Amino acid sequence: MLKKSLLVIAVSWFIVFSCNKQSDDTNVTPSNNGSTAYNDLWIPPTITGTNFDLTLAKSSKQLKTGATTPTYGYNGASFWGPTLIINKGDFVQMNVTNNLSETTTTHWHGFHIPAIMDGGPHQMIEAGTTWKPSFEVKNNAGTYWYHPHLHEKTFQQLTYGAGGLIIIKDPIESALALPRTYGTDDIPLVLTSRRFNSDNSFTVTEHAYGDYVLANGTLDAQVTLPKQYVRFRILNAETERGYNLGFSDNRSFYVITNDGGLLDAPIAVTRVKLAVGERAEILVDLSKDAVGGSLDLKAYNANQEFGFGGSEPQTSGQFGSLLNNKDFTVLHINVKAATANAITAVPSKLTTNSYWKESDATKTRTISITGGQAGSAFTFDNNTYGFTTMNQNVKLNTVEKWTVVNNNIFGHSFHIHDIQFKIVSRSSGAIAPYESGWKDTFYIRTGETVSVVAKFDDFASDTNPFMYHCHFPNHEDAGLMGQFLVTK
Ligand code: C2O
Ligand code: CU
């Protein structure tokens, strides 16, 4: 919930930046215990096939010196769960067991499946029970994820570490010469941050930002990678923080996927911004690096526009963080010798997408971000989320344009279940080429209007809704969520 203190923050931000030049501590990276020692990046184990058993339970992890940190994890993981690897076209059976002492849900983020299989707030898994959805995987090859989605508990369960990646494979992606040896030249990278209490437990009362970066649940993470093209599958799994990612020597790299699969062609960039819930797969060329050399993947988060999560100047409190308005390292990379059959080039062409155009839409709906002031929660169209309220009704097989209007005090991350869409306009200016592909989540700036187009096909139900919401889990929990039915 954003309180009026945000207005105070906005005001103090203007004071800070109108009076002072950026201080020289922009590159200071807080370290977990003041040392410069790195910890090896944890690579989640994989599960493949068509039958997936997931069990969520309490766990703990040694993160800081002293007491371990109480966490949640799937399948015995201490923070963040196994990576599921699934083939497009397979019919999969999921068995999700809840061994917590509280209710949860498990949502398959980005999947195009029936609402009742979706794992949103309505598909509750009571403590001690197993939920068994099954569905055909229709999505393109790409990087997706699963996470709890229980209304009013999403922030807390995510903060404890519940979640995992899903890699979908398909024949188009498999035919390309791309790095795909998981953990060797194809690296899962889940970025988030946490705040710690003095007993080393995570702070789970509402706050926007952690103070210490966790990469796959690893503090001060390092990885040793071969001297060749390497792929990262990056997910922003934060609360509110955005990441403006780049490498410490400003080298170019290539964005090859958006949330919903391959772009038509790789997009060369030196920075890519990921809001909460967004994914991008990138290729970076390490072939010219020296064996034994190193570089950093960094968040170049200093001096971002107000409303970009983590741009606030303060270092503590509900909207403060030791990482705010700074450039900081998210992953230290050491370079070793190339592997056999290394990938040494970037394909010039990836796939051929046929995207929806604005003119394809036969129905337009406008959703406004409201509230968020004078101690109130953010809302859509002045309605807080209601479990039994259907906010939108979509006719099956309609191509629709959804226009999200954010005449409000902060940026957000907007996510729609069921579909992958194409961003067709941003009132702030051009759509970045690296976000020109299939998306299920997008960053919306303060004062911005963004339109997306999608077809709502395949799955209809008169009773089971899909969600749309801000993917900041604290905003979603506080009511910045709505639901829609797709009916025949
Ligand atoms: Cu990533 Cu509605 O969820
Ligand atoms: Cu939000």
Side-chain angles (χ1 to χ4, degrees):
M1 199 187 311
L2 276 175
K3 307 226 160 69
K4 68 184 164 204
S5 51
L6 189 56
L7 292 172
V8 176
I9 293 160
V11 169
S12 58
W13 185 83
F14 282 115
I15 292 168
V16 167
F17 286 95
S18 53
C19 302
N20 297 325
K21 277 278 159 253
Q22 182 61 34
S23 65
D24 56 11
D25 64 353
T26 299
N27 287 300
V28 173
T29 301
S31 178
N32 56 334
N33 41 29
S35 78
T36 52
Y38 295 107
N39 302 304
D40 289 335
L41 179 73
W42 184 65
I43 303 291
T46 60
I47 314 179
T48 58
T50 55
N51 199 20
F52 295 87
D53 296 327
L54 290 172
T55 301
L56 182 60
K58 286 187 175 168
S59 184
S60 67
K61 183 155 185 164
Q62 187 79 53
L63 286 165
K64 314 257 284 181
T65 314
T68 58
T69 300
T71 59
Y72 292 176
Y74 292 92
N75 294 16
S78 60
F79 184 99
W80 203 252
T83 300
L84 314 185
I85 300 182
I86 310 182
N87 292 314
K88 180 177 182 175
D90 278 356
F91 199 88
V92 297
Q93 173 68 52
M94 304 299 201
N95 306 300
V96 187
T97 300
N98 176 9
N99 277 351
L100 298 173
S101 48
E102 60 186 296
T103 306
T104 191
T105 80
T106 303
H107 169 54
W108 320 104
H109 180 124
F111 275 47
H112 180 50
I113 50 179
I116 199 164
M117 307 296 175
D118 192 43
H122 293 263
Q123 285 81 49
M124 285 184 262
I125 315 172
E126 303 299 334
T129 68
T130 300
W131 178 54
K132 301 184 170 185
S134 55
F135 46 83
E136 184 188 346
V137 176
K138 297 171 86 83
N139 289 77
N140 294 329
T143 303
Y144 303 80
W145 61 305
Y146 59 95
H147 64 79
H149 211 311
L150 184 66
H151 186 48
E152 296 179 326
K153 283 291 212 172
T154 300
F155 168 76
Q156 213 177 84
Q157 294 184 351
L158 269 169
T159 298
Y160 278 120
L165 287 181
I166 305 174
I167 296 174
I168 296 181
K169 301 197 172 261
D170 72 13
I172 294 173
E173 189 274 341
S174 297
L176 295 166
L178 290 172
R180 64 169 62 80
T181 307
Y182 182 84
T184 298
D185 63 1
D186 184 349
I187 309 296
L189 189 62
V190 178
L191 301 178
T192 189
S193 61
R194 291 293 179 270
R195 173 165 294 173
F196 292 89
N197 300 316
S198 56
D199 64 356
N200 287 356
S201 60
F202 291 137
T203 302
V204 293
T205 51
E206 208 244 319
H207 61 291
Y209 309 111
D211 293 317
Y212 299 94
V213 181
L214 289 172
N216 301 349
T218 307
L219 277 174
D220 299 319
Q222 69 171 353
V223 67
T224 301
L225 298 174
K227 191 178 146 53
Q228 63 204 54
Y229 269 100
V230 171
R231 175 188 202 162
F232 287 100
R233 299 173 182 267
I234 308 175
L235 162 67
N236 180 342
E238 276 280 5
T239 304
E240 295 193 23
R241 189 186 310 286
Y243 283 83
N244 180 36
L245 295 168
F247 290 91
S248 48
D249 59 0
N250 283 323
R251 73 183 60 194
S252 294
F253 56 97
Y254 296 89
V255 177
I256 59 167
T257 72
N258 282 170
D259 305 328
L262 291 166
L263 296 162
D264 286 346
I267 303 291
V269 294
T270 55
R271 296 285 184 271
V272 64
K273 278 186 185 166
L274 288 182
V276 178
E278 288 186 300
R279 291 85 67 205
E281 296 174 22
I282 65 166
L283 296 180
V284 59
D285 184 9
L286 303 180
S287 69
K288 293 171 194 75
D289 289 76
V291 171
S294 67
L295 70 159
D296 290 329
L297 177 64
K298 296 184 67 165
Y300 288 92
N301 278 19
N303 303 318
Q304 292 295 311
E305 64 201 3
F306 185 74
F308 180 84
S311 61
E312 299 96 319
Q314 64 269 44
T315 54
S316 63
Q318 189 181 2
F319 304 109
S321 160
L322 299 178
L323 300 170
N324 273 4
N325 191 34
K326 287 188 190 309
D327 300 340
F328 57 87
T329 296
V330 301
L331 181 66
H332 182 67
I333 299 166
N334 305 300
V335 181
K336 65 179 179 187
T339 63
N341 306 315
I343 298 293
T344 56
V346 177
S348 58
K349 176 87 193 142
L350 296 169
T351 188
T352 306
N353 291 296
S354 29
Y355 297 119
W356 302 113
K357 296 185 296 300
E358 202 155 7
S359 56
D360 294 323
T362 56
K363 161 86 189 168
T364 295
R365 53 187 87 228
T366 300
I367 294 168
S368 297
I369 299 173
T370 47
Q373 297 181 39
S376 73
F378 285 111
T379 49
F380 289 122
D381 303 317
N382 296 305
N383 296 312
T384 191
Y385 173 72
F387 196 74
T388 54
T389 308
M390 298 305 158
N391 304 88
Q392 318 285 340
N393 281 287
V394 176
K395 272 258 159 296
L396 184 68
N397 291 324
T398 311
V399 179
E400 296 206 357
K401 179 169 89 165
W402 286 32
T403 295
V404 184
V405 181
N406 184 22
N407 289 328
N408 211 311
I409 54 172
F410 206 68
H412 299 271
S413 179
F414 191 89
H415 171 49
I416 310 175
H417 288 212
D418 180 26
I419 42 98
Q420 293 287 332
F421 51 73
K422 169 80 173 164
I423 304 175
V424 295
S425 70
R426 282 190 174 276
S427 65
S428 64
I431 299 156
Y434 69 72
E435 61 169 8
S436 62
W438 291 116
K439 300 279 297 163
D440 56 50
T441 307
F442 62 88
Y443 172 47
I444 181 164
R445 296 173 174 82
T446 308
E448 192 179 35
T449 296
V450 182
S451 295
V452 304
V453 175
K455 184 174 186 185
F456 294 78
D457 56 2
D458 297 323
F459 307 115
S461 165
D462 291 335
T463 49
N464 298 296
F466 291 107
M467 303 293 128
Y468 60 94
H469 57 93
C470 176
H471 216 293
F472 298 175
N474 52 340
H475 288 184
E476 164 190 339
D477 280 349
L480 192 50
M481 179 156 69
Q483 49 196 12
F484 62 98
L485 284 175
V486 181
T487 53
K488 289 206 171 110

